[in-house]
Amino acid sequence: MATDPTTPPVVEFRSVTKTYAAGTRRAFTAIKEVSFRVDDIPGHGEFVSILGPSGCGKSTILRLIAGLLPQHPPTSGEVLMRGKPVTHPGPDRGMVFQDYSSFTNRSVLDNVAFGLECDGMPKMERYDLARDWIGRVGLDPVKDLHKYPHELSGGMRQRVAIARTLILKPRIILMDEPFGALDPVTRQQMQDLLVGLWRELEATVFFVTHDVSEAVYLGDRVLILSNSPGTILTEEAVPPPNRPSREMRREPDFVNRVFEISSLLEKLEEAAQHS
Amino acid sequence: MSPTPDPPESKPKSAEPTDPSLSGALGQDTEGNLPHRGMRTDRGRLARWFTIRDEPGGLERFLFGIACILLVLLIWHILTRGEGEARIVDPYTLPSLKKAFGSFHELWFDRALMRGAIASLTRVLAGFLLAAAIAIPIGVIAGCFPRFHAFLRPLSIFGRNTPIAALIPLTLIWFGLGEVQKVMFIFLAAVAFIFFDTTMSVRSVPGNYLDTAYTLGARSSWKNGLRRALYFGLAYALLAAFGLHWLSEAPQTIIAEAVDGKVPEQPSFLTQGAFWIHALLGLLVGTLLWLPVQSHQAISKVLFPLALPNIVNSLRLLFGLAFGYIMLAEVINAEFGLGKIIIMSQRIGPREHIYLCLMVIALIAFAIDRLILIIQRRAFPYVSHGH
């Protein structure tokens, strides 16, 4: 797939460094000199998995793209979205968090419709759209509609989180270990669901995870970060997820790739412990 | 607020572990959550009394409460039975149970208990409502903007650490001897606490909700905020105009007439300039206070609604305290009120009325507490409440 060189990349990091409490004794550099670019592939988008040992600044990268405090703004370097610096968070960059962040005071319907409500869409219209999306993420559009988050299981809550993010049709989707707290079976179901929805939306996805097989299965490309301060160590293109998760995971090519990346990560973790 | 079509009882079993206090509050069987399921013998039942955090059912909890009341009455009876030297406590210090309850008729009719109770209650309500109306929006703003909170902190600390009783002489100097003094006393006693609790409730809403709201497009718009703040302003205008009108119209007579069944004369307040000035002032204050809250969707749609259950809960607890404080103001100078009845009973007797009044106060406070708790359960079905 050829990229158009005249259009600016969807997201570009130009030697971005983030240091917290800079200038004090508690100064901590989360990421250092991170540079990469993700081009818009028309009619496809790109699925970028971000892998790395724990605490290497994976979430920092996502939150910098989202423009969320306190990661935003970067200490040095530039975070560009379509050629313009990121200044504040917005609905064009949807984000799904690991910890359940469904609004506890809102029903499933009102949670999914939240973004449209903020945008000022009339009630009937946004509820119709929300019902549609509740069905698309595999929730019951009748029974689950008026449930509150505390009545939902972890997997169902993440479905709500995905629905309320995708309903806004963001061009960039940021996912911060969204399936990290789910059991393996639910996790695979959610991965397949995500792949299906992503195909329809053709958005650019950034997916942070520490599960290597998840990263390899979902991603078109895997970014591997080194230990803190995080820098991009290597970048690897992987085959896109064009078959169901259960099939693909058994292929030797897939298994080998996962093994290679896992051992690389193990080395990184060891290096971190010795340093 | 979002509609709540599902009553909490009808919710299906969820995969999440249910909070035992919640299911207990809904009258469901809590047996399923107990750690010792095998212990169902009589001996096991007693052993459960000494099991840490073993939740009893609703009826059991009620019976334990009744047992406490009966025990207190029994001790009272033992202390005061017999005559003359045979009594453990002399009748001057503590009247007998029978004498105390026997004086209820006199208290109700001659001392006009009902009128006094309503007078006290309306004073607390007026002062507390005023305090809440001002402290809640300011508290929400302070909870969202730490610099504003840092600015108000000295006042908040001062207000919460001033001895309440020390305010009485000042309120007498500032507001005179009338009804305004009592309402303002309650206002001053409550406002700093409501502010503090509101701020803390808003601050304790986890940050991930805010991040989520921003990435879903929560915006700020003063224009939309102004429209919504005006609704609050209108409510404040009504309260200010009618409330101040009521305060100036010697409320004791209105209550007296209402209790005696007479219809109060229709006052021609609409022609009074003060009424409209108060209304305008209320409109201005209400709109200004709620404008910052309503202008940010992240506050009006996320932080404030998420903090609201905690805010209401702290209001419920603080109202109980405020109801206690009104006695302080009433024993010093009042024409009506429970505090007045108590001080009269102490000076000219019968002293039995003091005990009865204390019980009435406790009963009213308890009834209000339950009422607010019921409202809380209805309004916030997604939160687990205490008993």
Side-chain angles (χ1 to χ4, degrees):
Chain A
M1 271 168 272
T3 55
D4 186 355
T6 55
T7 55
V10 182
V11 171
E12 186 176 7
F13 272 53
R14 286 189 188 155
S15 53
V16 175
T17 301
K18 178 70 195 183
T19 307
Y20 299 106
T24 68
R25 260 190 296 162
R26 291 182 293 114
F28 170 72
T29 303
I31 58 168
K32 196 176 173 186
E33 302 283 316
V34 169
S35 298
F36 67 89
R37 58 183 278 166
V38 176
D39 287 297
D40 197 7
I41 306 169
H44 181 73
E46 195 175 6
F47 205 118
V48 183
S49 295
I50 303 176
L51 260 178
S54 39
C56 70
K58 295 174 295 219
S59 299
T60 304
I61 290 178
L62 277 204
R63 293 177 64 96
L64 278 169
I65 301 173
L68 290 172
L69 300 174
Q71 284 77 7
H72 178 84
T75 313
S76 67
E78 274 184 304
V79 179
L80 301 173
M81 188 182 67
R82 291 184 199 286
K84 291 192 191 102
V86 169
T87 53
H88 54 83
D92 52 339
R93 284 148 290 150
M95 188 149 178
V96 181
F97 300 85
Q98 175 182 8
D99 33 332
Y100 307 135
S101 52
S102 298
F103 302 115
T104 50
N105 61 323
R106 287 169 172 260
S107 64
V108 169
L109 186 64
D110 277 314
N111 258 297
V112 173
F114 180 87
L116 302 173
E117 186 184 325
C118 286
D119 198 34
M121 186 186 272
K123 204 168 198 164
M124 295 308 282
E125 238 175 284
R126 66 171 190 257
Y127 278 178
D128 281 343
L129 261 172
R131 271 192 212 98
D132 177 45
W133 270 97
I134 287 167
R136 282 165 88 172
V137 295
L139 292 168
D140 191 323
V142 181
K143 270 200 296 185
D144 294 334
L145 222 53
H146 300 295
K147 282 186 187 165
Y148 285 104
H150 77 267
E151 298 168 271
L152 303 177
S153 66
M156 286 162 94
R157 287 196 213 187
Q158 288 310 71
R159 284 175 202 268
V160 172
I162 290 173
R164 69 157 185 231
T165 306
L166 299 191
I167 197 172
L168 300 174
K169 301 235 153 56
R171 298 313 302 146
I172 297 173
I173 302 167
L174 308 163
M175 307 190 97
D176 193 355
E177 295 188 42
F179 310 143
L182 303 180
D183 62 271
V185 178
T186 315
R187 197 170 179 145
Q188 266 190 22
Q189 288 170 353
M190 297 295 285
Q191 288 167 3
D192 285 334
L193 172 76
L194 182 63
V195 168
L197 292 171
W198 168 59
R199 286 260 160 65
E200 285 178 46
L201 281 175
E202 295 158 2
T204 304
V205 180
F206 290 87
F207 193 99
V208 161
T209 179
H210 52 237
D211 179 339
V212 179
S213 71
E214 185 171 69
V216 174
Y217 169 64
L218 289 171
D220 290 324
R221 166 149 63 132
V222 179
L223 294 183
I224 297 167
L225 266 73
S226 73
N227 322 86
S228 67
T231 50
I232 300 231
L233 197 75
T234 153
E235 222 182 283
E236 193 159 336
V238 292
N242 44 19
R243 286 142 293 176
S245 167
R246 274 202 303 169
E247 263 176 54
M248 200 161 156
R249 278 164 199 276
R250 264 180 295 184
E251 290 163 18
D253 187 40
F254 184 90
V255 176
N256 284 339
R257 233 176 249 279
V258 170
F259 181 76
E260 268 169 42
I261 295 175
S262 295
S263 43
L264 183 66
L265 278 172
E266 266 165 43
K267 269 183 215 148
L268 284 175
E269 295 267 12
E270 269 167 39
Q273 276 161 18
H274 292 303
S275 65
Chain B
M1 294 301 301
S2 58
T4 57
D6 257 9
E9 284 85 357
S10 71
K11 73 178 180 209
K13 283 258 179 278
S14 64
E16 294 292 311
T18 49
D19 184 353
S21 66
L22 177 67
S23 51
L26 296 175
Q28 289 166 358
D29 188 12
T30 54
E31 304 273 81
N33 296 323
L34 297 178
H36 306 297
R37 302 184 72 180
M39 299 169 76
R40 286 287 165 79
T41 58
D42 280 345
R43 206 174 146 268
R45 221 171 204 329
L46 200 64
R48 280 177 52 182
W49 289 20
F50 303 101
T51 306
I52 294 170
R53 291 202 174 166
D54 180 87
E55 280 289 332
L59 180 69
E60 210 178 335
R61 210 177 305 122
F62 177 73
L63 288 178
F64 272 101
I66 293 288
C68 172
I69 295 170
L70 288 179
L71 183 69
V72 170
L73 292 179
L74 181 72
I75 292 171
W76 185 351
H77 176 69
I78 290 170
L79 288 178
T80 59
R81 88 193 142 156
E83 287 296 326
E85 290 296 307
R87 272 173 74 121
I88 300 172
V89 177
D90 62 284
Y92 180 81
T93 312
L94 187 63
S96 73
L97 259 182
K98 204 176 145 207
K99 247 188 125 189
F101 284 102
S103 72
F104 186 78
H105 184 269
E106 193 193 340
L107 176 65
W108 183 269
F109 289 100
D110 298 353
R111 282 274 156 84
L113 174 69
M114 184 78 159
R115 190 195 295 178
I118 292 178
S120 294
L121 199 57
T122 39
R123 281 169 191 151
V124 190
L125 263 178
F128 198 74
L129 215 68
L130 184 64
I134 290 179
I136 289 178
I138 296 181
V140 173
I141 299 166
C144 297
F145 302 102
R147 285 169 188 84
F148 186 61
H149 184 217
F151 175 75
L152 286 181
R153 249 176 74 109
L155 281 181
S156 161
I157 292 170
F158 178 75
R160 281 179 292 130
N161 292 290
T162 308
I164 305 296
L167 289 175
I168 290 184
L170 272 186
T171 55
L172 287 172
I173 294 169
W174 290 344
F175 307 109
L177 294 164
E179 213 56 19
V180 178
Q181 178 255 335
K182 288 165 197 67
V183 171
M184 287 312 287
F185 171 69
I186 292 297
F187 168 79
L188 288 174
V191 71
F193 288 94
I194 300 179
F195 166 79
F196 180 77
D197 283 3
T198 306
T199 304
M200 287 304 137
S201 302
V202 174
R203 282 171 76 98
S204 63
V205 174
N208 59 339
Y209 292 116
L210 197 59
D211 292 343
T212 306
Y214 282 142
T215 57
L216 291 175
R219 296 174 300 174
S220 302
S221 152
W222 293 100
K223 216 180 90 196
N224 287 344
L226 186 63
R227 194 167 41 88
R228 287 158 59 111
L230 271 172
Y231 294 130
F232 282 88
L234 281 177
Y236 276 49
L238 280 176
L239 272 175
F242 282 100
L244 286 172
H245 173 74
W246 176 81
L247 272 183
S248 63
E249 284 284 311
Q252 298 95 329
T253 47
I254 297 177
I255 296 165
E257 283 166 358
V259 169
D260 295 343
K262 280 185 230 152
V263 180
E265 245 178 85
Q266 204 62 41
S268 56
F269 52 81
L270 291 178
T271 54
Q272 290 172 10
F275 180 85
W276 294 105
I277 291 171
H278 293 155
L280 197 67
L281 206 70
L283 181 74
L284 208 69
V285 170
T287 310
L288 271 179
L289 285 179
W290 285 95
L291 184 61
V293 176
Q294 295 297 333
S295 295
H296 296 84
Q297 288 181 329
I299 305 176
S300 67
K301 287 185 191 298
V302 179
L303 291 179
F304 181 53
L306 284 171
L308 196 58
N310 281 335
I311 294 174
V312 174
N313 199 42
S314 91
L315 286 183
R316 178 170 66 91
L317 302 176
L318 286 173
F319 189 84
L321 282 180
F323 193 62
Y325 290 149
I326 191 65
M327 303 303 148
L328 272 179
E330 285 180 347
V331 294
I332 288 179
N333 66 302
E335 261 183 82
F336 292 95
L338 290 173
K340 172 75 176 175
I341 296 179
I342 288 179
I343 206 71
M344 267 177 43
S345 306
Q346 185 229 325
R347 284 185 188 147
I348 59 173
R351 283 182 309 278
E352 287 84 356
H353 284 178
I354 299 176
Y355 297 93
L356 287 178
C357 275
L358 288 178
M359 284 179 228
V360 168
I361 290 167
L363 275 178
I364 294 175
F366 178 72
I368 291 168
D369 184 87
R370 291 293 105 169
L371 188 74
I372 302 177
L373 197 61
I374 291 170
I375 295 171
Q376 272 178 277
R377 289 209 179 112
R378 295 253 150 190
F380 314 120
Y382 46 88
V383 190
S384 68
H385 303 281
H387 302 304

